[in-house]
Amino acid sequence: MSDKPLIDALVATLKAAPAVTAVAGQRIHATAPRLPTYPCVVVTRTENRPVGENDAVEHLLTITCASRFGGPEEARALVAAVRAALHDARPTLTGRRLVNLRVPYADVFAGADRETTLGVVRVRAVTENL
């Protein structure tokens, strides 16, 4: 089971969210760009596993928000906007039905380079066959 349909739907949802694009513009990526422009949002980690009956799959995704604003304010705003846009969202998936979408965790912290502030948003989704 590929996470691509879910990732594509989440990226489209974020690109359509005014609060997210007010901070990141259209710099919302399914995979990390080679030379990122800040601030940006990137799906950085995915995993999935079967759960229950009916070919249900649990998807755990990490979305990273990166800022070089010079403080945590921009990253915090971006994390809050991403969280609000995705929690309980109902994007349409190709080939699967979305059962549940939640954002159980978010955090903001200084990057190792001391120039970048990072925000992590963890997303849990359950999908099943149509």
Side-chain angles (χ1 to χ4, degrees), residues 12-91:
T13 299
L14 293 174
K15 284 186 174 186
V20 176
T21 59
V23 180
Q26 291 296 304
R27 294 179 301 274
I28 302 163
H29 311 284
T31 59
R34 201 172 133 240
L35 298 171
T37 303
Y38 297 93
C40 64
V41 177
V42 181
V43 178
T44 53
R45 184 169 191 264
T46 64
E47 66 179 277
N48 64 59
R49 64 181 177 165
V51 292
E53 304 292 323
N54 302 328
D55 295 320
V57 176
E58 178 186 46
H59 306 264
L60 302 171
L61 298 95
T62 300
I63 298 173
T64 301
C65 303
S67 167
R68 289 201 169 164
F69 178 71
E73 296 85 5
E74 187 175 65
R76 285 183 184 145
L78 194 50
V79 164
V82 168
R83 184 177 203 159
L86 294 181
H87 191 74
D88 285 333
R90 305 301 287 166

